[in-house]
């Protein structure tokens, strides 16, 4: 077993309740890979430690929908054997990783936390999974999410709720809540999530870990079960910025099977992440500091700006005038695309089929009625409405036009600054049950994250403090398209200084 793991686990499980364990230092993926390379630990030891931690903690947290113990241990053993015999191993050789359960994993159930796909075992791997396997990462399990990634609290899962490792009464955020919790509770040091409107960054913020949404097109969506195809993007969770950089480097790159995947070389993010940026200009938008922003979150954000000032950065005040339309625009576009993408689940081509029906139409509606949860149905209805003749121009088409204006705002902003800093959410993690019956309030909680998806730009969430209740607060940085290198370096500067 890796040294750090054993000590932390045994000391603190004896004396502290689970929710107080989190402020402990966690071993980063970069550090674990170093230990593997130096022979201080093995892939089998790390995989066993990860599976043991899942076993002991996940009954309380609910981060995982399934684990992959036997295959993971066999793979870990094969990697150790290869390393011992001097054969080449991949960049992530022996590193346990958790995957959001909306990415296809060959031979491993991929449910999207939906009854519709409860028994779906993909016959192929998503592009990111292929990349991870080439890098010799060890997939230990699939994590919980809001059904089909629709939600902001992971309470919309058809199977279980995920609890925040910092406080079991609070949500983990969503929709990639299981992946965020897995890292925050030290079950794996890294994981993958998907971000359509904040689903990596917001749970990262709520769970006190790093979460990165890449530029649209940077990572292939092949094998990611589609929610809103023009917004979806896969990205990493990690304990630290350097590990997120390394993971992005592994999963990014062109893939002809996703027509929106961009053919641009992948920079060596992990090699440059420690280089501070000279003459850094950090933008702040006046629209981001308005009513509704929790005072503690505002204070933590302003303190983060002081850190940047102390590092010699210039703080540039700017405006993103169309951001007030972002929520309406996002929920029209996302629901429209979802209604189209989810049409395939008809009980014939894909997914659950009702046991009893009287004719074909009845079979479709019974299958969809039983297979989808309330939030998914709400999105399908909203989307079909905004795409229907007579409403298309007024809703969907108008939303597309506003989307362009939102992107234009960012283009103008990035002419004046390198990164834009903001809160990741207006409050720290909210309580379980607090918003789940109020869809509009839940949608409003995405205010800081959805613009990046509409504009296609990258964004990262990094921990920047704790609330008086002891809950993590996240800082968001956003950068221009394909400027992940700059984004990661700016984030690393803050991480190091704080
Ligand atoms: N909360 C947003 C939604 O429900 C974002 C989800 C996501 O990024 N997958 O659509």
């Amino acid at each position: 077993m890796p040294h750090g793991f054993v000590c932390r686990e045994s000391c603190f499980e004896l004396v502290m309740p689970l929710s107080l364990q989190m402020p402990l230092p966690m071993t980063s993926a970069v550090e674990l890979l170093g230990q593997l390379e130096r022979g201080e630990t093995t892939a089998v030891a790390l995989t066993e430690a990860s599976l043991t931690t899942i076993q002991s903690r996940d009954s309380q947290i609910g981060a995982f929908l399934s684990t992959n113990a036997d295959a993971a241990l066999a793979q870990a053993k094969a990697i150790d054997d290869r390393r011992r015999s001097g054969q080449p191993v991949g960049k992530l050789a022996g590193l346990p990783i958790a995957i959001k359960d909306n990415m296809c994993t060959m031979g491993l159930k991929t449910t999207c936390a939906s009854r519709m796909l409860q028994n779906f075992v993909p016959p192929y791997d998503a592009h990111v999974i292929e990349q991870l396997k080439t890098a010799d990462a060890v997939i230990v399990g699939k994590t919980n999410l809001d059904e089909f990634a629709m939600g902001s609290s992971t309470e919309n899962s058809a199977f279980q709720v995920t609890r925040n490792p910092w406080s079991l009464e609070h949500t983990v955020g969503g929709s990639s809540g299981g992946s965020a919790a897995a890292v925050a509770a030290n079950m794996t040091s890294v994981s993958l999530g998907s971000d359509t409107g904040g689903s990596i960054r917001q749970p990262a913020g709520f769970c006190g870990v790093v979460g990165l949404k890449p530029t649209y097109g940077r990572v292939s969506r092949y094998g990611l079960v589609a929610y809103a195809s023009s917004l979806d993007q896969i990205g990493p969770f990690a304990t630290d910025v350097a590990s997120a950089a390394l993971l992005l480097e592994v999963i990014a790159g062109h893939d002809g099977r996703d027509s929106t995947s961009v053919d641009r070389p992948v920079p060596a993010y992990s090699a440059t992440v420690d280089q501070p940026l000279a003459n850094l200009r950090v933008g702040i938008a006046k629209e981001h500091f308005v009513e509704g922003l929790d005072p503690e979150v505002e204070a933590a954000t302003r303190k983060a700006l002081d850190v940047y000032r102390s590092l010699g950065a210039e703080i540039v005040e700017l405006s993103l005038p169309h951001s007030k339309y972002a929520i309406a625009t996002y929920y029209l576009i996302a629901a429209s695309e979802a209604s189209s993408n989810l049409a395939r689940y008809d009980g014939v081509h894909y997914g659950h089929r009702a046991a009893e029906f009287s004719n074909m139409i009845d079979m479709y509606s019974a299958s969809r009625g039983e297979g989808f949860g309330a939030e998914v149905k709400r999105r399908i209805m909203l989307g079909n409405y905004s795409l229907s003749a007579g409403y298309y121009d007024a809703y969907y088409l108008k939303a597309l036009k506003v989307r362009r204006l939102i992107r234009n705002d960012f283009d103008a902003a990035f002419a004046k600054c390198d990164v834009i800093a903001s809160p990741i959410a207006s409050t720290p993690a909210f309580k379980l049950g607090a918003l789940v019956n109020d869809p509009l309030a839940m949608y409003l909680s995405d205010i800081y994250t959805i613009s990046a998806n509409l504009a296609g730009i990258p964004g990262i969430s990094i921990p920047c403090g704790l609330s008086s209740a002891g809950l993590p607060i996240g800082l968001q940085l956003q950068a221009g398209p394909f400027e992940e290198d700059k984004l990661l370096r700016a984030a690393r500067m803050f991480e190091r200084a704080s």
Side-chain angles (χ1 to χ4, degrees), residues 100 149-152 175 194-199 227 330-331 379 446:
K100 184 177 183 179
M150 297 174 191
S152 313
S175 63
S194 66
D195 191 313
T196 305
S199 277
Y227 161 16
Y330 170 83
Y331 276 95
R379 307 285 176 108
D446 297 331

Side-chain angles (χ1 to χ4, degrees), residues 69-356:
D70 294 346
L73 285 167
Q75 191 200 349
K77 187 175 174 312
I79 292 166
D80 284 338
D81 290 346
R82 261 168 41 219
R83 199 194 293 271
R84 267 189 215 111
S85 68
Q87 290 175 56
V89 291
K91 262 188 191 175
L92 303 179
L95 185 73
I97 186 167
I99 308 290
K100 184 177 183 179
D101 207 22
N102 63 350
M103 294 173 220
C104 287
T105 40
M106 189 163 55
L108 251 190
K109 249 195 335 191
T110 300
T111 67
C112 293
S114 179
R115 264 187 285 279
M116 188 54 94
L117 291 176
Q118 189 157 15
N119 300 310
F120 175 52
V121 179
Y124 69 105
D125 277 327
H127 180 255
V128 291
I129 303 297
E130 291 174 351
Q131 301 288 92
L132 289 176
K133 286 185 176 171
T134 305
D136 288 323
V138 178
I139 295 168
V140 293
K142 305 290 296 285
T143 58
N144 196 24
L145 62 149
D146 286 298
E147 184 175 5
F148 284 102
M150 297 174 191
S152 313
S153 66
T154 315
E155 291 166 293
N156 293 337
S157 166
F159 306 127
Q160 67 197 36
V161 159
T162 303
R163 293 171 181 275
N164 195 313
W166 293 75
S167 157
L168 299 177
E169 288 88 65
H170 286 81
T171 74
V172 277
S175 63
S176 314
S179 285
V183 174
N186 217 1
M187 299 192 250
T188 56
S189 67
V190 280
S191 59
L192 288 189
S194 66
D195 191 313
T196 305
S199 277
I200 294 173
R201 291 160 290 152
Q202 182 253 28
F206 282 9
C207 290
V209 299
V210 174
L212 170 72
K213 181 201 93 75
T215 306
Y216 185 76
R218 179 72 289 186
V219 176
S220 168
R221 292 177 295 109
Y222 176 77
L224 169 70
V225 178
Y227 161 16
S229 309
S230 77
L231 302 158
D232 297 340
Q233 195 62 198
I234 297 170
F237 287 95
T239 57
D240 63 312
V241 176
S243 300
L246 179 62
L247 210 58
L248 177 64
E249 197 175 297
V250 168
I251 61 171
H254 182 240
D255 170 27
R257 296 166 301 184
D258 168 3
S259 61
T260 60
S261 152
V262 175
D263 194 359
R264 273 171 90 115
V266 178
Y269 301 115
S270 64
T272 53
V273 67
D274 273 321
Q275 296 167 12
L277 294 156
N279 309 319
L280 175 66
R281 294 162 307 162
V282 178
I284 50 165
K286 61 171 191 264
E287 294 79 5
H288 287 161
F289 296 87
V290 289
E291 214 190 306
L293 178 59
D294 179 283
E296 288 191 321
V297 174
E298 173 160 8
T301 311
R302 298 216 182 265
K303 233 172 95 190
L305 294 173
D306 289 340
V307 171
Y308 276 112
R309 271 193 203 94
S310 74
L311 293 170
E314 182 193 347
I315 307 296
V316 183
E317 294 196 15
L318 43 85
S319 170
L320 297 167
H322 296 93
S323 52
K324 59 176 176 281
Y325 304 119
I327 298 245
T329 305
Y330 170 83
Y331 276 95
L332 280 167
I333 292 175
S336 300
E337 294 185 17
S339 70
S340 163
N341 275 327
L342 271 58
R344 72 188 66 168
Y345 304 104
D346 57 5
V348 180
H349 294 91
Y350 291 97
H352 169 81
R353 184 187 293 189
E356 282 172 37

Side-chain angles (χ1 to χ4, degrees), residues 18 20-21 31-32 61 86 135 141 178 182 205 299 353 359 366 392 400 406 417 483 495:
L18 184 75
L20 295 180
Q21 289 180 6
E31 168 59 21
L32 291 175
I61 307 278
R353 184 187 293 189
N359 57 40
Y392 181 95
L400 291 184
I406 289 170
C417 68
E483 293 198 324
E495 184 183 63

